[in-house]
Amino acid sequence: MQVCLDNQQMTDVVSTWKIQGQVIAFVPTMGGLHAGHLSLVHQAKANADKVVVSIFVNPTQFGENEDFDNYPNTLEQDLYELEACQVDAVFTPNKEHIYPDGFTSHLKAGSLSQGLCSNARPGHFDGVVQVVHRLFEIIAPDIAIFGQKDYQQLLVIKQMVAALSLPIQILSGAIVREQSGLAMSTRNQYLSIEQKQQALKLYQVLTELKQETLNGRNLATAIQDAKTILSQDFKIEYLSALDANTLKSITDNTSKIAILCAVFLGSTRLIDNIIFNQG
Ligand code: AMP
């Protein structure tokens, strides 16, 4: 496994592969790897000849009072895990490589970035599209894989790729969960044992909401009841049922529903979602 510390090393590796006609899949991460990230790596391996994983905690997608300074850094363990998965190259740039002096990006996230996470994290998706676009420029992958865990992010990236006609296929990976149902997240490290127990309720409530919807229960009422239940343990940022393709209100034309939530458990922000076909 090649560890590329700067842009030049990364582009050299990729150029050699391109000359050989190898198909390259890319998995961007912020490190603190867990089985969710590794599932994307396995998907990448199944779909390409060569796999690149980046580890970069992108400052521009964090708000002022967020956890950028304390974001878990487990680089040594991450590299060990990626080597075990037979990843071909890991890109671990620093901030100056991604945002060299004088670099400014005018790229703005598209319409799908509005609402949901953006309400509490204004500018977050602008930071996401800027870093992902920059990584795409350096790595020039054929395929890039993103988790459904960050569903709005996935749609925002797909929208960017379509709008800019980038020759990159975007694949999505299913949410990997703990046995308890809790969606795996680097931020779960912040949770105490007791909080992890409370956190299960999130997926239970999402699953019940899905079932109730399929049973024909009025979604607005079901969401209201779910909020009442969740508010016993969490501070709710949002809990919404939307058209999974447009992230707008559900209409008669909606074929796929997304129930999405962001909550705080103590000071830890958790997001989760469930996507299903309209019954
Ligand atoms: P992050 O390191 O949090 O930026 O995540 C890197 C990628 O891993 C993103 O595409 C996430 O959506 C994805 N990811 C994070 N958690 C999970 C999970 N539990 N299951 C599947 N993919 C995930």
Side-chain angles (χ1 to χ4, degrees):
M1 183 173 83
Q2 285 168 280
V3 179
C4 303
L5 303 174
D6 62 33
N7 301 357
Q8 191 61 53
Q9 288 177 13
M10 189 68 248
T11 48
D12 285 350
V13 167
V14 166
S15 306
T16 312
W17 291 341
K18 295 237 163 202
I19 291 165
Q20 296 165 350
Q22 314 267 19
V23 174
I24 301 167
F26 171 46
V27 180
T29 82
M30 298 203 297
L33 301 187
H34 50 67
H37 296 111
L38 299 183
S39 74
L40 305 184
V41 170
H42 292 302
Q43 198 176 339
K45 285 185 71 68
N47 283 280
D49 304 311
K50 298 287 181 188
V51 174
V52 181
V53 175
S54 65
I55 297 178
F56 177 64
V57 184
N58 173 38
T60 70
Q61 69 189 69
F62 284 78
E64 260 179 34
N65 297 318
E66 295 181 358
D67 56 349
F68 174 71
D69 289 328
N70 307 316
Y71 198 78
N73 177 337
T74 55
L75 184 61
E76 207 176 314
Q77 179 66 21
D78 292 351
L79 293 177
Y80 175 80
E81 307 261 6
L82 295 174
E83 175 106 59
C85 292
Q86 297 178 313
V87 162
D88 299 283
V90 181
F91 184 38
T92 58
N94 62 32
K95 192 174 155 227
E96 285 66 41
H97 298 128
I98 299 298
Y99 304 115
D101 270 353
F103 170 83
T104 49
S105 171
H106 298 293
L107 213 51
K108 292 265 176 211
S111 55
L112 289 163
S113 69
Q114 283 159 22
L116 299 171
C117 287
S118 281
N119 290 338
R121 306 186 77 190
H124 166 70
F125 288 114
D126 293 335
V128 169
V129 294
Q130 284 160 11
V131 73
V132 170
H133 187 258
R134 191 75 187 101
L135 291 165
F136 283 178
E137 279 180 331
I138 297 163
I139 298 164
D142 302 290
I143 296 168
I145 310 193
F146 294 82
Q148 186 204 297
K149 160 90 177 355
D150 299 273
Y151 187 70
Q152 190 178 15
Q153 168 176 281
L154 170 68
L155 294 196
V156 165
I157 298 293
K158 282 187 174 171
Q159 189 177 35
M160 173 188 79
V161 166
L164 302 180
S165 306
L166 302 180
I168 302 172
Q169 187 188 1
I170 303 299
L171 300 181
S172 74
I175 301 177
V176 176
R177 298 178 180 281
E178 309 273 1
Q179 254 184 347
S180 63
L182 174 63
M184 288 196 181
S185 164
T186 303
R187 292 189 169 100
N188 290 354
Q189 297 178 28
Y190 300 147
L191 300 175
S192 66
I193 295 173
E194 195 194 358
Q195 285 178 319
K196 275 201 166 177
Q197 201 55 37
Q198 284 174 286
L200 325 178
K201 216 168 168 184
L202 201 52
Y203 185 53
Q204 284 167 2
V205 165
L206 289 177
T207 314
E208 274 162 34
L209 272 173
K210 171 183 168 183
Q211 204 45 57
E212 287 177 328
T213 312
L214 293 174
N215 291 346
R217 184 165 180 220
N218 177 287
L219 203 44
T221 329
I223 292 266
Q224 210 39 58
D225 289 351
K227 281 186 175 169
T228 306
I229 294 168
L230 285 178
S231 59
Q232 292 164 5
D233 295 86
F234 305 96
K235 185 166 157 279
I236 302 170
E237 192 181 293
Y238 64 78
L239 173 67
S240 307
L242 298 170
D243 183 302
N245 294 316
T246 61
L247 296 185
K248 294 204 166 109
S249 300
I250 293 166
T251 68
D252 290 344
N253 294 327
T254 296
S255 57
K256 217 166 49 153
I257 293 176
I259 302 180
L260 307 121
C261 65
V263 299
F264 275 90
L265 186 49
S267 57
T268 306
R269 184 173 183 271
L270 304 173
I271 60 170
D272 202 350
N273 65 74
I274 195 161
I275 315 282
F276 54 96
N277 289 326
Q278 174 94 282

